[in-house]
Amino acid sequence: MVVCVVWQLSSRSVLNQPSTFTAALSLFLMISVGLFGDASTFVSQSHRHIDYFF
């Protein structure tokens, strides 16, 4: 996902032509990471825990 975002930024700034597929691909990858995390917590029979830093 990092490579996809870096490619988007570099193609937009250096080539002055943004890539058309990288925005959709990074969104798909972010959703996939969330779903794999949900599946992992379901298999381990636990729940999600979100820490907030103040």
Side-chain angles (χ1 to χ4, degrees), residues 4-54:
C4 180
V5 172
V6 167
W7 175 252
Q8 171 73 15
L9 292 174
S10 64
S11 70
R12 188 184 323 162
S13 62
V14 174
L15 302 176
N16 204 15
Q17 267 186 326
S19 256
T20 56
F21 68 93
T22 53
L25 181 62
S26 63
L27 178 65
F28 174 76
L29 291 173
M30 182 61 115
I31 291 171
S32 298
V33 166
L35 289 176
F36 282 128
D38 285 343
S40 171
T41 56
F42 181 75
V43 167
S44 67
Q45 295 180 352
S46 62
H47 60 88
R48 283 198 267 166
H49 179 75
I50 300 172
D51 291 329
Y52 292 102
F53 298 104
F54 292 105

